Amino acid sequence: MKKIQMVDLQSQYQKIKEDVDTAILNVLGSAAFINGPEVKQFETELQDYLDVKHVIPCANGTDALQIALMSLGLEPGDEVITADFTFAATVEVVDLLKLTSVLVDVDYTTFTIDIEKLKAAITPKTRAIIPVHLFGQCANMDEVMAVAKEYNLFVIEDTAQAIGADYKGKKAGTIGHIGCTSFFPSKNLGCYGDGGAIFTNDDELAHKLRGIVNHGMYKRYYHDEVGVNSRLDSVQAAVLRKKLPLLDSYNEARNKAAAYYSEAFKDIEELLTPEVNENSTHVFHQYTLRVTNGKRNELQAFLTEKEIPAMIYYPVPLRKQKAYNNGHYNDADFPNTNKLVEEVISLPMHTELDEEQLMFITSAVKEFFGK
Ligand SMILES: *Cc1c(COP(=O)(O)O)cnc(C)c1O
């Protein structure tokens, strides 16, 4: 059996090696490393795939979130609400820009922002919401957009883990004012280095975003505002152009593995398998179980013993991280995040899991629970 990995990027690369190698060599030959034609072409192809008016490529997903926030004309102290249970990048950029991050609890079954908690966190200073489509399925966007409309707030979708997911027929990241994604190698659409992109249907925001990614420059050497330098390079764009046409089949492969897992675990009472929202498809960036009998860490150790990797995404709520604890949070407001950090465990999930590996992994988990 092939060694089991959380993410198997080598096996995936071997299948597209010839195509990708040629594309990379072409960029090297052209020497158009920055802003080459590959970048522009990828931009157009991703616009078509997402059915969105503007795609602005950038250097990584964290930059995408930062630049999105920078485009909104917010003032220091303005509040931005996001989920307590996500990767730190989502909140990091808020604090970095001297905006005030407000973390709220997530839903226990979908791992996405809890709408009631979101509503309760709104103050006269709230300006934006960043829903995170965690682990590959969309937050409850109908509700998020309804809240945003009622209070006149911006919505930035963190789509780093959910590219390709559909929410009621629209692609994740194209429903809010701005969508952000990452092409980090292990993401569902990963390049071979760092990369990211920002999406919007708003022409004015798109213009602003294009300026900010390029030193606040709208006319060469005229800097209208403080920007950043955040570029997707041509080599990464060339890789992404080869992988974008495969994204749906990659997400399908992830769904197949997820279905195999969930079928195998359906009779284990102490194990809650991921639930799929009625309005969103799931692209299983992660396959995340909840272990309800308090034995999550034992399960992880048991699997490690059998050389099956399993990860805890995420072990600490963001509000308990030193960097993001403002002293104002009340533990009782976060019952779900508090439970999730103790219960979650993510199994190997990627496009190259074969039946032998899946059988081995599921047998080990069943053995742990005496099934
Ligand atoms: C990966 C990720 C990011 C950051 O993307 P990078 O390209 O690594 O900067 C942001 N938010 C979430 C939810 C992520 O998973």
mmCIF file of all heavy atoms in Angstrom, residues 59-65 85-92 130-135 158-162 180-187 193-197 285-286 314, ligand 1:
data_model
loop_
_atom_site.group_PDB
_atom_site.id
_atom_site.type_symbol
_atom_site.label_atom_id
_atom_site.label_comp_id
_atom_site.label_asym_id
_atom_site.label_seq_id
_atom_site.Cartn_x
_atom_site.Cartn_y
_atom_site.Cartn_z
ATOM 1 N N ALA A 59 -0.793 37.401 -4.195
ATOM 2 C CA ALA A 59 0.313 36.528 -3.794
ATOM 3 C C ALA A 59 -0.080 35.344 -2.904
ATOM 4 O O ALA A 59 0.606 34.322 -2.898
ATOM 5 C CB ALA A 59 1.392 37.353 -3.104
ATOM 6 N N ASN A 60 -1.141 35.473 -2.149
ATOM 7 C CA ASN A 60 -1.586 34.383 -1.270
ATOM 8 C C ASN A 60 -2.962 34.720 -0.699
ATOM 9 O O ASN A 60 -3.454 35.841 -0.892
ATOM 10 C CB ASN A 60 -0.567 34.121 -0.137
ATOM 11 C CG ASN A 60 -0.315 35.356 0.703
ATOM 12 O OD1 ASN A 60 -1.199 35.816 1.423
ATOM 13 N ND2 ASN A 60 0.875 35.934 0.596
ATOM 14 N N GLY A 61 -3.541 33.781 0.008
ATOM 15 C CA GLY A 61 -4.893 33.975 0.523
ATOM 16 C C GLY A 61 -4.969 34.993 1.648
ATOM 17 O O GLY A 61 -5.977 35.688 1.797
ATOM 18 N N THR A 62 -3.926 35.086 2.433
ATOM 19 C CA THR A 62 -3.912 36.058 3.519
ATOM 20 C C THR A 62 -3.886 37.476 2.955
ATOM 21 O O THR A 62 -4.631 38.354 3.403
ATOM 22 C CB THR A 62 -2.686 35.822 4.437
ATOM 23 O OG1 THR A 62 -2.653 34.443 4.797
ATOM 24 C CG2 THR A 62 -2.742 36.674 5.679
ATOM 25 N N ASP A 63 -3.046 37.680 1.942
ATOM 26 C CA ASP A 63 -3.027 38.977 1.252
ATOM 27 C C ASP A 63 -4.405 39.286 0.664
ATOM 28 O O ASP A 63 -4.870 40.426 0.721
ATOM 29 C CB ASP A 63 -2.023 38.961 0.091
ATOM 30 C CG ASP A 63 -0.611 39.334 0.531
ATOM 31 O OD1 ASP A 63 -0.376 39.402 1.749
ATOM 32 O OD2 ASP A 63 0.237 39.557 -0.350
ATOM 33 N N ALA A 64 -5.033 38.290 0.084
ATOM 34 C CA ALA A 64 -6.345 38.505 -0.536
ATOM 35 C C ALA A 64 -7.305 39.102 0.494
ATOM 36 O O ALA A 64 -8.005 40.087 0.224
ATOM 37 C CB ALA A 64 -6.890 37.192 -1.092
ATOM 38 N N LEU A 65 -7.306 38.529 1.705
ATOM 39 C CA LEU A 65 -8.191 39.024 2.762
ATOM 40 C C LEU A 65 -7.797 40.435 3.186
ATOM 41 O O LEU A 65 -8.646 41.307 3.380
ATOM 42 C CB LEU A 65 -8.144 38.084 3.972
ATOM 43 C CG LEU A 65 -8.781 36.706 3.777
ATOM 44 C CD1 LEU A 65 -8.306 35.739 4.863
ATOM 45 C CD2 LEU A 65 -10.307 36.814 3.799
ATOM 46 N N PHE A 85 -13.699 29.962 15.138
ATOM 47 C CA PHE A 85 -13.156 28.653 14.782
ATOM 48 C C PHE A 85 -12.772 28.669 13.307
ATOM 49 O O PHE A 85 -13.570 28.385 12.423
ATOM 50 C CB PHE A 85 -14.231 27.582 15.057
ATOM 51 C CG PHE A 85 -13.762 26.161 14.905
ATOM 52 C CD1 PHE A 85 -12.824 25.621 15.779
ATOM 53 C CD2 PHE A 85 -14.279 25.346 13.907
ATOM 54 C CE1 PHE A 85 -12.414 24.301 15.644
ATOM 55 C CE2 PHE A 85 -13.870 24.022 13.770
ATOM 56 C CZ PHE A 85 -12.927 23.495 14.646
ATOM 57 N N THR A 86 -11.537 29.072 13.038
ATOM 58 C CA THR A 86 -11.023 29.112 11.660
ATOM 59 C C THR A 86 -9.506 29.222 11.744
ATOM 60 O O THR A 86 -8.931 29.295 12.831
ATOM 61 C CB THR A 86 -11.599 30.305 10.865
ATOM 62 O OG1 THR A 86 -10.901 30.441 9.612
ATOM 63 C CG2 THR A 86 -11.473 31.627 11.596
ATOM 64 N N PHE A 87 -8.865 29.246 10.584
ATOM 65 C CA PHE A 87 -7.429 29.479 10.527
ATOM 66 C C PHE A 87 -7.171 30.950 10.869
ATOM 67 O O PHE A 87 -7.960 31.820 10.516
ATOM 68 C CB PHE A 87 -6.907 29.139 9.127
ATOM 69 C CG PHE A 87 -5.434 29.359 8.976
ATOM 70 C CD1 PHE A 87 -4.524 28.733 9.812
ATOM 71 C CD2 PHE A 87 -4.948 30.218 7.997
ATOM 72 C CE1 PHE A 87 -3.165 28.951 9.671
ATOM 73 C CE2 PHE A 87 -3.585 30.432 7.849
ATOM 74 C CZ PHE A 87 -2.694 29.805 8.684
ATOM 75 N N ALA A 88 -6.049 31.222 11.521
ATOM 76 C CA ALA A 88 -5.772 32.557 12.054
ATOM 77 C C ALA A 88 -5.728 33.666 11.011
ATOM 78 O O ALA A 88 -5.997 34.829 11.326
ATOM 79 C CB ALA A 88 -4.460 32.544 12.833
ATOM 80 N N ALA A 89 -5.404 33.328 9.760
ATOM 81 C CA ALA A 89 -5.270 34.375 8.733
ATOM 82 C C ALA A 89 -6.513 35.253 8.654
ATOM 83 O O ALA A 89 -6.417 36.461 8.413
ATOM 84 C CB ALA A 89 -5.011 33.736 7.367
ATOM 85 N N THR A 90 -7.676 34.659 8.868
ATOM 86 C CA THR A 90 -8.930 35.399 8.726
ATOM 87 C C THR A 90 -9.009 36.573 9.692
ATOM 88 O O THR A 90 -9.482 37.650 9.337
ATOM 89 C CB THR A 90 -10.140 34.457 8.944
ATOM 90 O OG1 THR A 90 -9.870 33.188 8.342
ATOM 91 C CG2 THR A 90 -11.393 35.031 8.337
ATOM 92 N N VAL A 91 -8.544 36.375 10.908
ATOM 93 C CA VAL A 91 -8.630 37.439 11.906
ATOM 94 C C VAL A 91 -7.356 38.292 11.915
ATOM 95 O O VAL A 91 -7.375 39.488 12.211
ATOM 96 C CB VAL A 91 -8.942 36.863 13.309
ATOM 97 C CG1 VAL A 91 -7.800 36.018 13.841
ATOM 98 C CG2 VAL A 91 -9.231 37.974 14.304
ATOM 99 N N GLU A 92 -6.261 37.669 11.563
ATOM 100 C CA GLU A 92 -4.951 38.342 11.585
ATOM 101 C C GLU A 92 -4.960 39.652 10.805
ATOM 102 O O GLU A 92 -4.474 40.689 11.268
ATOM 103 C CB GLU A 92 -3.945 37.373 10.955
ATOM 104 C CG GLU A 92 -2.536 37.830 10.853
ATOM 105 C CD GLU A 92 -1.691 36.705 10.249
ATOM 106 O OE1 GLU A 92 -2.052 36.161 9.183
ATOM 107 O OE2 GLU A 92 -0.683 36.369 10.850
ATOM 108 N N ILE A 130 -16.834 38.605 7.860
ATOM 109 C CA ILE A 130 -16.069 37.647 7.039
ATOM 110 C C ILE A 130 -16.554 36.232 7.358
ATOM 111 O O ILE A 130 -16.069 35.596 8.303
ATOM 112 C CB ILE A 130 -14.543 37.736 7.288
ATOM 113 C CG1 ILE A 130 -14.057 39.194 7.209
ATOM 114 C CG2 ILE A 130 -13.794 36.854 6.271
ATOM 115 C CD1 ILE A 130 -12.544 39.351 7.403
ATOM 116 N N PRO A 131 -17.532 35.735 6.603
ATOM 117 C CA PRO A 131 -17.913 34.332 6.805
ATOM 118 C C PRO A 131 -16.814 33.437 6.214
ATOM 119 O O PRO A 131 -16.245 33.765 5.173
ATOM 120 C CB PRO A 131 -19.215 34.195 6.007
ATOM 121 C CG PRO A 131 -19.175 35.288 4.989
ATOM 122 C CD PRO A 131 -18.317 36.385 5.543
ATOM 123 N N VAL A 132 -16.511 32.357 6.890
ATOM 124 C CA VAL A 132 -15.484 31.426 6.420
ATOM 125 C C VAL A 132 -16.190 30.143 5.987
ATOM 126 O O VAL A 132 -16.958 29.571 6.753
ATOM 127 C CB VAL A 132 -14.466 31.112 7.543
ATOM 128 C CG1 VAL A 132 -13.364 30.195 7.026
ATOM 129 C CG2 VAL A 132 -13.878 32.396 8.111
ATOM 130 N N HIS A 133 -15.915 29.716 4.770
ATOM 131 C CA HIS A 133 -16.524 28.472 4.271
ATOM 132 C C HIS A 133 -15.624 27.318 4.700
ATOM 133 O O HIS A 133 -14.918 26.717 3.892
ATOM 134 C CB HIS A 133 -16.691 28.538 2.763
ATOM 135 C CG HIS A 133 -17.475 29.733 2.291
ATOM 136 N ND1 HIS A 133 -18.592 30.198 2.961
ATOM 137 C CD2 HIS A 133 -17.310 30.548 1.233
ATOM 138 C CE1 HIS A 133 -19.084 31.251 2.311
ATOM 139 N NE2 HIS A 133 -18.321 31.478 1.263
ATOM 140 N N LEU A 134 -15.671 27.039 5.992
ATOM 141 C CA LEU A 134 -14.671 26.156 6.587
ATOM 142 C C LEU A 134 -14.805 24.698 6.140
ATOM 143 O O LEU A 134 -15.912 24.161 6.054
ATOM 144 C CB LEU A 134 -14.762 26.233 8.117
ATOM 145 C CG LEU A 134 -13.486 25.798 8.838
ATOM 146 C CD1 LEU A 134 -12.378 26.827 8.682
ATOM 147 C CD2 LEU A 134 -13.756 25.541 10.313
ATOM 148 N N PHE A 135 -13.676 24.096 5.881
ATOM 149 C CA PHE A 135 -13.535 22.675 5.529
ATOM 150 C C PHE A 135 -14.157 22.339 4.171
ATOM 151 O O PHE A 135 -14.177 21.188 3.766
ATOM 152 C CB PHE A 135 -14.110 21.744 6.607
ATOM 153 C CG PHE A 135 -13.468 21.913 7.967
ATOM 154 C CD1 PHE A 135 -14.191 21.650 9.126
ATOM 155 C CD2 PHE A 135 -12.151 22.332 8.093
ATOM 156 C CE1 PHE A 135 -13.610 21.801 10.386
ATOM 157 C CE2 PHE A 135 -11.557 22.490 9.340
ATOM 158 C CZ PHE A 135 -12.293 22.220 10.501
ATOM 159 N N ASP A 158 -14.414 34.243 2.965
ATOM 160 C CA ASP A 158 -13.133 33.534 2.996
ATOM 161 C C ASP A 158 -13.367 32.161 2.359
ATOM 162 O O ASP A 158 -13.890 31.242 2.987
ATOM 163 C CB ASP A 158 -12.618 33.404 4.432
ATOM 164 C CG ASP A 158 -11.237 32.754 4.485
ATOM 165 O OD1 ASP A 158 -10.850 32.078 3.513
ATOM 166 O OD2 ASP A 158 -10.545 32.915 5.510
ATOM 167 N N THR A 159 -12.958 32.076 1.089
ATOM 168 C CA THR A 159 -13.222 30.883 0.281
ATOM 169 C C THR A 159 -11.962 30.031 0.129
ATOM 170 O O THR A 159 -11.882 29.199 -0.776
ATOM 171 C CB THR A 159 -13.760 31.337 -1.096
ATOM 172 O OG1 THR A 159 -14.749 32.348 -0.897
ATOM 173 C CG2 THR A 159 -14.408 30.216 -1.867
ATOM 174 N N ALA A 160 -10.986 30.245 1.015
ATOM 175 C CA ALA A 160 -9.702 29.542 0.892
ATOM 176 C C ALA A 160 -9.873 28.021 0.906
ATOM 177 O O ALA A 160 -9.102 27.300 0.286
ATOM 178 C CB ALA A 160 -8.754 29.978 2.006
ATOM 179 N N GLN A 161 -10.911 27.534 1.612
ATOM 180 C CA GLN A 161 -11.077 26.083 1.728
ATOM 181 C C GLN A 161 -12.237 25.554 0.884
ATOM 182 O O GLN A 161 -12.551 24.374 0.953
ATOM 183 C CB GLN A 161 -11.298 25.703 3.211
ATOM 184 C CG GLN A 161 -10.117 26.118 4.096
ATOM 185 C CD GLN A 161 -10.194 25.550 5.500
ATOM 186 O OE1 GLN A 161 -11.089 24.775 5.837
ATOM 187 N NE2 GLN A 161 -9.229 25.924 6.335
ATOM 188 N N ALA A 162 -12.863 26.434 0.113
ATOM 189 C CA ALA A 162 -14.105 25.985 -0.544
ATOM 190 C C ALA A 162 -14.191 26.357 -2.015
ATOM 191 O O ALA A 162 -15.291 26.463 -2.557
ATOM 192 C CB ALA A 162 -15.311 26.537 0.202
ATOM 193 N N CYS A 180 -12.455 35.800 -1.366
ATOM 194 C CA CYS A 180 -10.999 35.649 -1.320
ATOM 195 C C CYS A 180 -10.655 34.174 -1.334
ATOM 196 O O CYS A 180 -11.347 33.379 -0.699
ATOM 197 C CB CYS A 180 -10.455 36.218 -0.008
ATOM 198 S SG CYS A 180 -10.698 37.991 0.107
ATOM 199 N N THR A 181 -9.586 33.818 -2.044
ATOM 200 C CA THR A 181 -9.164 32.425 -1.969
ATOM 201 C C THR A 181 -7.662 32.305 -1.945
ATOM 202 O O THR A 181 -6.929 33.270 -2.166
ATOM 203 C CB THR A 181 -9.778 31.574 -3.102
ATOM 204 O OG1 THR A 181 -9.810 30.209 -2.670
ATOM 205 C CG2 THR A 181 -8.974 31.658 -4.392
ATOM 206 N N SER A 182 -7.212 31.089 -1.657
ATOM 207 C CA SER A 182 -5.791 30.770 -1.571
ATOM 208 C C SER A 182 -5.490 29.631 -2.529
ATOM 209 O O SER A 182 -6.295 28.710 -2.676
ATOM 210 C CB SER A 182 -5.474 30.320 -0.143
ATOM 211 O OG SER A 182 -4.233 29.640 -0.098
ATOM 212 N N PHE A 183 -4.322 29.694 -3.160
ATOM 213 C CA PHE A 183 -3.857 28.570 -3.986
ATOM 214 C C PHE A 183 -2.671 27.878 -3.340
ATOM 215 O O PHE A 183 -1.823 27.303 -4.027
ATOM 216 C CB PHE A 183 -3.496 29.064 -5.400
ATOM 217 C CG PHE A 183 -4.599 29.804 -6.095
ATOM 218 C CD1 PHE A 183 -4.409 31.099 -6.557
ATOM 219 C CD2 PHE A 183 -5.837 29.208 -6.294
ATOM 220 C CE1 PHE A 183 -5.429 31.789 -7.191
ATOM 221 C CE2 PHE A 183 -6.868 29.891 -6.928
ATOM 222 C CZ PHE A 183 -6.661 31.184 -7.380
ATOM 223 N N PHE A 184 -2.580 27.967 -2.027
ATOM 224 C CA PHE A 184 -1.570 27.214 -1.269
ATOM 225 C C PHE A 184 -1.614 25.764 -1.774
ATOM 226 O O PHE A 184 -2.694 25.244 -2.074
ATOM 227 C CB PHE A 184 -1.923 27.309 0.220
ATOM 228 C CG PHE A 184 -0.923 26.684 1.134
ATOM 229 C CD1 PHE A 184 0.252 27.355 1.447
ATOM 230 C CD2 PHE A 184 -1.149 25.427 1.683
ATOM 231 C CE1 PHE A 184 1.190 26.770 2.298
ATOM 232 C CE2 PHE A 184 -0.214 24.844 2.530
ATOM 233 C CZ PHE A 184 0.960 25.512 2.837
ATOM 234 N N PRO A 185 -0.452 25.107 -1.902
ATOM 235 C CA PRO A 185 -0.418 23.788 -2.552
ATOM 236 C C PRO A 185 -1.471 22.780 -2.078
ATOM 237 O O PRO A 185 -2.009 22.013 -2.883
ATOM 238 C CB PRO A 185 0.999 23.288 -2.251
ATOM 239 C CG PRO A 185 1.804 24.545 -2.127
ATOM 240 C CD PRO A 185 0.881 25.574 -1.514
ATOM 241 N N SER A 186 -1.781 22.775 -0.784
ATOM 242 C CA SER A 186 -2.710 21.755 -0.289
ATOM 243 C C SER A 186 -4.173 22.151 -0.409
ATOM 244 O O SER A 186 -5.064 21.361 -0.087
ATOM 245 C CB SER A 186 -2.399 21.448 1.176
ATOM 246 O OG SER A 186 -2.642 22.597 1.963
ATOM 247 N N LYS A 187 -4.461 23.351 -0.881
ATOM 248 C CA LYS A 187 -5.876 23.753 -1.038
ATOM 249 C C LYS A 187 -6.488 22.987 -2.220
ATOM 250 O O LYS A 187 -5.773 22.390 -3.017
ATOM 251 C CB LYS A 187 -5.976 25.262 -1.263
ATOM 252 C CG LYS A 187 -5.350 26.095 -0.153
ATOM 253 C CD LYS A 187 -6.210 26.212 1.102
ATOM 254 C CE LYS A 187 -5.397 26.538 2.310
ATOM 255 N NZ LYS A 187 -5.724 27.696 3.073
ATOM 256 N N GLY A 193 3.529 26.673 -5.092
ATOM 257 C CA GLY A 193 4.172 27.742 -4.348
ATOM 258 C C GLY A 193 3.045 28.481 -3.665
ATOM 259 O O GLY A 193 2.056 27.856 -3.269
ATOM 260 N N ASP A 194 3.145 29.789 -3.563
ATOM 261 C CA ASP A 194 2.059 30.579 -2.976
ATOM 262 C C ASP A 194 1.253 31.261 -4.066
ATOM 263 O O ASP A 194 1.785 31.614 -5.116
ATOM 264 C CB ASP A 194 2.638 31.645 -2.037
ATOM 265 C CG ASP A 194 2.801 31.138 -0.609
ATOM 266 O OD1 ASP A 194 1.824 30.550 -0.082
ATOM 267 O OD2 ASP A 194 3.878 31.319 -0.022
ATOM 268 N N GLY A 195 -0.012 31.451 -3.783
ATOM 269 C CA GLY A 195 -0.868 32.171 -4.715
ATOM 270 C C GLY A 195 -2.204 32.456 -4.065
ATOM 271 O O GLY A 195 -2.567 31.821 -3.067
ATOM 272 N N GLY A 196 -2.925 33.428 -4.609
ATOM 273 C CA GLY A 196 -4.248 33.746 -4.090
ATOM 274 C C GLY A 196 -5.018 34.561 -5.099
ATOM 275 O O GLY A 196 -4.474 34.939 -6.144
ATOM 276 N N ALA A 197 -6.286 34.805 -4.801
ATOM 277 C CA ALA A 197 -7.091 35.638 -5.700
ATOM 278 C C ALA A 197 -8.248 36.256 -4.944
ATOM 279 O O ALA A 197 -8.680 35.753 -3.895
ATOM 280 C CB ALA A 197 -7.612 34.825 -6.878
ATOM 281 N N HIS A 285 -12.489 20.110 1.661
ATOM 282 C CA HIS A 285 -11.083 20.474 1.860
ATOM 283 C C HIS A 285 -10.541 19.622 3.008
ATOM 284 O O HIS A 285 -9.416 19.143 2.968
ATOM 285 C CB HIS A 285 -10.948 21.964 2.166
ATOM 286 C CG HIS A 285 -9.535 22.346 2.449
ATOM 287 N ND1 HIS A 285 -8.545 22.190 1.514
ATOM 288 C CD2 HIS A 285 -8.924 22.821 3.556
ATOM 289 C CE1 HIS A 285 -7.385 22.577 2.043
ATOM 290 N NE2 HIS A 285 -7.597 22.948 3.272
ATOM 291 N N GLN A 286 -11.368 19.462 4.023
ATOM 292 C CA GLN A 286 -11.056 18.527 5.107
ATOM 293 C C GLN A 286 -12.254 17.616 5.329
ATOM 294 O O GLN A 286 -13.394 18.031 5.126
ATOM 295 C CB GLN A 286 -10.777 19.271 6.424
ATOM 296 C CG GLN A 286 -9.587 20.210 6.388
ATOM 297 C CD GLN A 286 -8.268 19.494 6.122
ATOM 298 O OE1 GLN A 286 -8.162 18.269 6.257
ATOM 299 N NE2 GLN A 286 -7.266 20.256 5.736
ATOM 300 N N TYR A 314 -9.216 22.963 14.506
ATOM 301 C CA TYR A 314 -8.078 23.670 15.059
ATOM 302 C C TYR A 314 -8.096 23.431 16.552
ATOM 303 O O TYR A 314 -9.176 23.361 17.139
ATOM 304 C CB TYR A 314 -8.195 25.150 14.720
ATOM 305 C CG TYR A 314 -8.167 25.367 13.194
ATOM 306 C CD1 TYR A 314 -9.353 25.415 12.469
ATOM 307 C CD2 TYR A 314 -6.961 25.470 12.512
ATOM 308 C CE1 TYR A 314 -9.330 25.571 11.079
ATOM 309 C CE2 TYR A 314 -6.937 25.639 11.125
ATOM 310 C CZ TYR A 314 -8.112 25.676 10.419
ATOM 311 O OH TYR A 314 -8.102 25.806 9.064
HETATM 312 C C1 LIG B 1 -5.269 28.783 3.890
HETATM 313 C C2 LIG B 1 -6.222 29.739 4.465
HETATM 314 C C3 LIG B 1 -6.014 31.131 4.417
HETATM 315 C C4 LIG B 1 -4.710 31.746 3.987
HETATM 316 O O1 LIG B 1 -4.227 31.405 2.760
HETATM 317 P P1 LIG B 1 -2.644 31.526 2.461
HETATM 318 O O2 LIG B 1 -2.564 31.396 0.985
HETATM 319 O O3 LIG B 1 -1.969 30.441 3.191
HETATM 320 O O4 LIG B 1 -2.212 32.877 2.918
HETATM 321 C C5 LIG B 1 -7.016 31.953 4.890
HETATM 322 N N1 LIG B 1 -8.159 31.471 5.407
HETATM 323 C C6 LIG B 1 -8.379 30.143 5.500
HETATM 324 C C7 LIG B 1 -9.683 29.664 6.066
HETATM 325 C C8 LIG B 1 -7.429 29.231 5.052
HETATM 326 O O5 LIG B 1 -7.658 27.926 5.155
#
